[in-house]
Amino acid sequence: MAASGAGSPGRLVQYVVVRSDLVHTLSWTLGAVITQACHAATAAIQLHYSDPDTQLYLAQLDSMHKVVLGVPDEAALSGLSQSLTQAGVSHKLWIEQPENIPTCLALKPYPKEAVQPLLRKFKLFK
């Protein structure tokens, strides 16, 4: 699936998926959770820096598009990461250290239509 879409007409999007239980059950501050999402997004860009879609996304600095989705808990996040890996979708599962807590994941930039079907069941993060 992870073929380059650099020449495709679709809009490039970076999806970030965050555990909602961090805020709603475990009482993490919103700022702490946003920080986790920033770490994951930056790491995904760095890991896939030479990818043509990533380069095109970065070249469109003033029109970058991100979508932040929520998953209910660690099990759902881990399951999604496994599904993405099986589908060949490049992403970074962010594990907060030194606590060793998986908090979120971020995909490298992809054409929206290439990955949105895999993420369709998740709602925007609240």
Side-chain angles (χ1 to χ4, degrees), residues 17-21 70-84 93 102-105 118-119 121-122:
V17 184
V18 180
R19 288 175 49 189
S20 60
D21 67 325
V71 293
D73 54 30
E74 183 178 343
L77 184 68
S78 295
L80 175 59
S81 181
Q82 291 172 0
S83 295
L84 293 172
L93 176 63
T103 58
C104 57
L105 64 77
L118 297 167
L119 302 165
K121 69 178 182 178
F122 302 106

Side-chain angles (χ1 to χ4, degrees), residues 5 10-14 53-54 56-57 60 65 109-112:
R11 179 176 188 145
L12 292 174
V13 176
Q14 185 176 30
D53 284 334
T54 300
L56 184 57
Y57 183 79
Q60 299 169 355
H65 188 69
Y110 277 102
K112 182 177 181 179

Side-chain angles (χ1 to χ4, degrees), residues 47-94:
L47 289 170
H48 303 285
Y49 186 76
S50 61
D51 176 84
D53 284 334
T54 300
Q55 287 298 303
L56 184 57
Y57 183 79
L58 293 172
Q60 299 169 355
L61 187 64
D62 291 329
S63 61
M64 290 180 174
H65 188 69
K66 285 185 176 44
V67 176
V68 182
L69 304 173
V71 293
D73 54 30
E74 183 178 343
L77 184 68
S78 295
L80 175 59
S81 181
Q82 291 172 0
S83 295
L84 293 172
T85 298
Q86 290 171 355
V89 175
S90 299
H91 67 284
K92 171 63 176 169
L93 176 63
W94 187 260

